[in-house]
Each structure stands twice: as C-alpha cells, then as structure tokens.
Amino acid sequence: MTRRMLLLLLILVTAELSLTKFSAGAIGVNWGTEASHPLPPSKVVELLKSNGIAKVKLFDADPKVLRALSGSNIGVTVGIPNSMIKSLNASRKVAESWVHDNVTRYFDGGNRVRIEYVAVGDEPFLQSYGNQYRPFVIGAAMNIQNALAKASLASEVKVVVPSSFDSFLSESGRPSSGHFRADLNKTMIELLSFLTRHHSPFFVTISPFISFHQNKNISLDFSLFKETAKPHKDGRKTYRNSFDLSYDTLLSALSGIGFPDVDIVVSKIGWPTDGAANATSPTAEAFLRGLMGHLEKKTGSLLPRETYIENLLDEDKKNISSGNFERHWGVFTFDGQAKYSFSLNHNSKKLINAQNVQYLPPKWCVVNNNKDLANASAKALEACSLSDCTSILPGGSCSGIGWPRNVSYAFNSLYQQSDHREESCDFGGLGLITTVDPSEDKCRFWIQLDTSHSSSHVPIFFLSWSLLLLFLLSWT
C-alpha cells in the first residue's frame, strides 16, 4: 500500500470517528411485553425491520422474543427484572446460570441474536422503590460482568444499569446546579466507576412529559421544542427546550461526582397518547418530531450515544401506580398500528403498520339499556378491576363519553381480555353482545388480538382507591 493510499485511509477513518463523536447517535425503541394479548414476537420483529429500527431494548429475556430476533441483525439490550437483582448479587452461580440461559445460548449457531447490552434492572433507583433494590445493584452488575467474562463475551456485551428520571435533579431549576439524589451519591460513584472500568455507557431516562406535569415553570411549548417557547436562562447559557435543560442537569450531576466524560445512552424518552392531560397522539407526534429534529441538528461530543423511544407498543397490563398514562407510551397501538404519520428513520416518509394482524371476531360487549341499570356502575368497577379502563378515567380519551356508555366501555374491556367468552359479558344480566361497533369520535372500543394461545386466566389489576374514587366521581 502506497503512502498516499495510507494517508487517504487515515483521513477517512478520522472523518468517520469525528462524525461518530459529533452527531446524534442511533435511535432505538423500548419493547415492553406487559400486554394481555401481545402481538406475536415475529410480527413485532417484522414491524421493527419494516420501519428501519435497528436497536431494541427489552425488559426481560423472553425466549420467544429472543428467538424472533435471531438473525435479524437488530442490536438488542436484554433486561434483567428488578425481582432478580437480590439473588444475582448474592450468588455468582446464579449470575453464571442467567448469562448461560439468556445470553450465551443466543451467540451460538448461524441465527445469532446481536445482544449488545445486559441491563441490570429496570430503573432500580426509582425514588419510590426506596432501598428495595439499591444496595444490591452494583454487586449484581459485577457478578453479571464476571459471568460474561467467563463466557468470553465481555468484549461483545456490556453491562449497564438503567437509571430513572428522578435519580438526578436541580432544586433551583438551573442545569448548572444539577446533582444526583443524596441517597444515591455513593451508589452512583460506585456504578460510574464500574461502567468506566468496563467501557460501558450510562443508561438514563429523561422525561420531558413528567417534567412538564411536575414543574409549573415548564410550559408545553418548551417541552415540545416549539420556537415560540419562552427560553430558560442559566448564567450565560440559554435553554430553548426541556430536553436540553434535563440533559445538561444530568451532565452537571455527572461532573459533580467526577465523571464528566462518560458516554450517555438515553434509555427511555417519549410522550404518552392517553391517560393524562396533554397525553394525546397529536401532542406525542409533535414531541417526537421535535426530538428527532433536535437530535439531528445538535452537535457536540456529549450528545447521547443512543436514544431509545418509549415505547414501541401500548401495554394494557403495565403497572399504573405512577399514572394511567403508563399503558399508553406506544408509538404504535397494541396491535401495531401507527399513531402518527412521521417516520423514525430517514429512509421512509411515514411509519409502516404491522401487517396481517389476527383479531378476534368483530363483536363487542355493551350495557343492555333495556335492563334496570341501578347496579351498572358497581358491575363496571368489577370489570375494571380485571381489565384496562384507563381511557375512561379522568384525563383519558374516552372520559367524556358519559354514563352509561362508560359502563359499556368497561364491560367490553373485560369481554375482549377474556377472549369473547360469553359468560364474561353477563354482568348479572346487564351485558349484551353486539356486532355494531360502539366506538365514537376519538373513543375507540377495541377488539383484542386473536392470540389463540392466551391463558384462560385473567390477571387482576386492582385500581387504587384514589382511582376508584375518581372513577365514581366521573359518573356523577
């Protein structure tokens, strides 16, 4: 090779490294599976590929999901549930067994899964968890790291710990005063020392949606990257959107404990489409359009290495202790149908829906208006304790349909989740099965997916007393 060719090669490599350092990183999605009737994994992988989504973050290591991802060349983050953290901290053998069953086996053969990260826990530092997981996280991460090294996979798979949006803060609202929560300081130093030692990035949630709801000084326009938003000043620096405000608060927190140069991955960021004020599809689309455009334009060495949108699909079994919106983060509805018109990549103009989705027959369960409905509200509450009624609670897309149509919504929710079993539309004689779609305007009465292998057991999701009270009040 001539000196001239070597020089040209050096210039090309340097240019590529420069672009990697100073442009926004890859866009991926979170793929949660807390759904009563999940879209088949093979369909989800088709959905990812047809929309050019090259990275996906999982919350567990479901074999059916990982098998579907085999041979896809999609970069995968495999998750370890919080419930396993304590046992992984206590035993290297448990960690080795987990790595063997959930990582090593998918590196064998031709159709391997491109596992890039193992995420220890799902936001185990969330303030509401207290000390439930925090004392065991670092030990669990170290044992998983050692297990990967033993399996000769440590150079290919990095261990990370996703941190919650409330792990860092600034009481003054100024990014320059950003710091980690006092109860987390020691743990964060240990975590970042571990990550730095093994060249792993720092995974963290940034949530402009929750910041908007919790902070009266954050306007909706500021959250949605609108040029008309009133800017926030911090010394000589001016902030024109909530994302940069939060991101720089995080950078200050990292610098404050001695880790100013760690690579950052935004492991969750999104905007829900139901279940709260301003949680609508048009608002969520405006947020994601603003975010994608902002990441494309923004330059700098401290940009996120990767950004994962929350969430790929809606999940009707997700815990709603922090808000009804938790079940509505999806870019797609539960059945893989796009909520917005724009695309997550440069190669297509709009999102592409899941194809050939199998639904249950077009039947709904509604309230029988010819019956005495004195007991209808109580029956609806029973239905909602066994299914998903977040859309008819205050702030939801169906909260304005009134009584008794909201009773019909509750009845239908249980009927769909129960795979159209006739007895699930009884409700003491108040239910009626119909083939006429009761949907209206923006309130859709869903038909569930025909998964054919769904369990006959319907899991119970008890609404909190406060939600029940709001539910009852909304009918008065």
Side-chain angles (χ1 to χ4, degrees):
M1 187 179 291
T2 66
R3 290 175 64 181
R4 188 175 178 180
M5 289 177 67
L6 279 170
L7 181 61
L8 181 60
L9 182 61
L10 181 62
I11 290 170
L12 289 171
V13 170
T14 303
E16 186 171 344
L17 288 172
S18 178
L19 284 170
T20 301
K21 186 177 181 183
F22 292 108
S23 62
I27 300 294
V29 295
N30 285 272
W31 173 4
T33 55
E34 293 185 82
S36 62
H37 292 64
L39 196 63
S42 58
K43 289 283 183 195
V44 179
V45 174
E46 286 176 14
L47 187 67
L48 293 167
K49 292 168 75 173
S50 63
N51 284 283
I53 299 170
K55 289 179 180 287
V56 67
K57 178 171 160 283
L58 309 175
F59 297 94
D60 53 21
D62 186 330
K64 294 190 292 292
V65 169
L66 289 169
R67 281 198 295 270
L69 284 163
S70 68
S72 68
N73 202 35
I74 293 171
V76 178
T77 298
V78 176
I80 296 176
N82 288 336
S83 57
M84 290 194 65
I85 289 175
K86 196 170 182 179
S87 60
L88 289 168
N89 169 74
S91 170
R92 281 194 174 195
K93 289 292 183 186
V94 171
E96 289 171 6
S97 177
W98 189 93
V99 166
H100 175 270
D101 292 346
N102 301 291
V103 180
T104 309
R105 65 189 293 189
Y106 297 106
F107 273 79
D108 297 333
N111 288 329
R112 60 179 284 176
V113 180
R114 191 158 68 86
I115 298 174
E116 298 178 324
Y117 304 107
V118 171
V120 179
D122 177 23
E123 301 185 341
F125 303 137
L126 201 64
Q127 193 164 18
S128 59
Y129 291 149
N131 285 333
Q132 191 174 353
Y133 308 114
R134 183 186 56 75
F136 313 107
V137 171
I138 307 303
M142 291 173 68
N143 282 342
I144 290 293
Q145 180 69 45
N146 290 331
L148 287 169
K150 190 172 182 178
S152 300
L153 292 173
S155 62
E156 296 188 63
V157 183
K158 299 298 182 183
V159 178
V160 296
V161 177
S163 293
S164 53
F165 71 93
D166 63 3
S167 60
F168 62 97
L169 68 155
S170 170
E171 289 87 353
S172 67
R174 293 192 299 269
S176 59
S177 301
H179 61 91
F180 288 107
R181 288 198 329 255
D183 61 301
L184 278 181
N185 242 24
K186 183 173 179 293
T187 303
M188 280 297 175
I189 292 170
E190 291 176 353
L191 172 60
L192 286 153
S193 298
F194 167 82
L195 296 175
T196 302
R197 190 162 58 249
H198 297 288
H199 309 288
S200 296
F202 180 66
F203 270 46
V204 65
T205 295
I206 290 181
S207 186
F209 173 78
I210 293 177
S211 296
F212 165 67
H213 276 269
Q214 291 182 348
N215 190 335
K216 293 179 180 178
N217 294 321
I218 302 287
S219 70
L220 184 61
D221 282 358
F222 191 71
S223 303
L224 300 180
F225 301 89
K226 299 288 188 183
E227 292 182 2
T228 53
K230 181 182 177 181
H232 290 230
K233 289 189 176 294
D234 182 4
R236 294 182 178 179
K237 195 152 188 181
T238 299
Y239 291 93
R240 303 190 181 280
N241 63 78
S242 182
F243 174 81
D244 285 347
L245 196 77
S246 294
Y247 196 78
D248 277 15
T249 302
L250 171 64
L251 294 180
S252 293
L254 289 165
S255 293
I257 59 171
F259 296 92
D261 300 320
V262 67
D263 279 342
I264 297 169
V265 168
V266 177
S267 53
K268 280 186 194 175
I269 186 169
W271 198 280
T273 57
D274 205 345
N278 294 294
T280 66
S281 291
T283 312
E285 178 172 357
F287 171 76
L288 285 177
R289 278 186 185 275
L291 175 68
M292 303 286 281
H294 184 65
L295 289 176
E296 286 172 9
K297 288 186 298 183
K298 196 170 172 64
T299 59
S301 59
L302 294 176
L303 275 171
R305 178 199 283 189
E306 296 163 17
T307 301
Y308 289 83
I309 305 301
E310 181 181 20
N311 200 23
L312 181 66
L313 303 161
D314 284 345
E315 299 169 82
D316 66 352
K317 283 173 58 179
K318 203 168 179 186
N319 187 293
I320 55 172
S321 59
S322 59
N324 298 324
F325 57 83
E326 290 290 356
R327 293 179 178 171
H328 303 280
W329 287 106
V331 173
F332 295 88
T333 50
F334 70 97
D335 51 350
Q337 307 307 296
K339 296 179 182 179
Y340 333 120
S341 58
F342 82 104
S343 174
L344 292 174
N345 70 73
H346 298 290
N347 298 325
S348 59
K349 293 181 179 178
K350 63 179 183 177
L351 293 168
I352 299 170
N353 293 334
Q355 304 298 309
N356 303 314
V357 178
Q358 300 298 311
Y359 296 91
L360 293 169
K363 295 190 295 182
W364 297 262
C365 176
V366 297
V367 69
N368 189 341
N369 289 311
N370 295 320
K371 300 284 186 177
D372 178 4
L373 301 184
N375 200 33
S377 295
K379 291 295 182 183
L381 286 172
E382 289 178 19
C384 287
S385 71
L386 295 162
S387 60
D388 177 34
C389 290
T390 52
S391 292
I392 53 173
L393 290 168
S397 59
C398 296
S399 59
I401 61 175
W403 189 92
R405 289 185 61 76
N406 48 14
V407 175
S408 291
Y409 189 98
F411 283 7
N412 185 64
S413 184
L414 181 60
Y415 178 64
Q416 300 298 334
Q417 190 161 299
S418 304
D419 296 312
H420 288 187
R421 290 201 306 273
E422 193 170 336
E423 62 271 22
S424 69
C425 187
D426 182 33
F427 299 107
L430 298 181
L432 176 69
I433 296 172
T434 179
T435 56
V436 178
D437 187 352
S439 302
E440 62 174 61
D441 297 329
K442 296 179 181 179
C443 180
R444 181 174 169 187
F445 282 59
W446 298 98
I447 296 176
Q448 263 297 357
L449 299 176
D450 181 5
T451 53
S452 69
H453 52 73
S454 328
S455 167
S456 59
H457 171 69
V458 180
I460 296 176
F461 311 108
F462 288 107
L463 297 171
S464 67
W465 285 110
S466 60
L467 285 176
L468 286 174
L469 180 61
L470 284 170
F471 193 56
L472 287 168
L473 288 173
S474 70
W475 286 354
T476 59

